[in-house]
Amino acid sequence: MMLQIFDHYSLIIGVTVAFFAALVSVKWMVRYLSRHGLEVFGYYRVAIAVVTTVFLLTAEKIWIQ
């Protein structure tokens, strides 16, 4: 299907750019984690859990009324 919509060169360029973007992203993430650890991600997860819980509790009250 994709080859019917896009030509071969567009797909090759897209895959190549995605590959190098993934390499840069993984390299940055490994370097960040080796310097800072997972503490920031722990706080992020707790904050997302609190926001999600508050949203679900308030959304339920709105739907019941």
Side-chain angles (χ1 to χ4, degrees), residues 41-54:
F41 294 103
Y43 292 135
Y44 165 76
R45 297 288 294 204
V46 170
I48 292 295
V50 169
V51 168
T52 303
T53 302
V54 169

Side-chain angles (χ1 to χ4, degrees), residues 5-19:
I5 299 171
F6 301 108
D7 59 348
H8 295 296
Y9 297 114
S10 296
L11 290 176
I12 291 170
I13 290 171
V15 168
T16 305
V17 169
F19 174 76

Side-chain angles (χ1 to χ4, degrees), residues 35-64:
R35 292 181 182 172
H36 300 286
L38 293 173
E39 184 178 1
V40 172
F41 294 103
Y43 292 135
Y44 165 76
R45 297 288 294 204
V46 170
I48 292 295
V50 169
V51 168
T52 303
T53 302
V54 169
F55 173 74
L56 289 175
L57 291 175
T58 57
E60 184 178 325
K61 291 178 184 177
I62 293 171
W63 290 336
I64 291 174

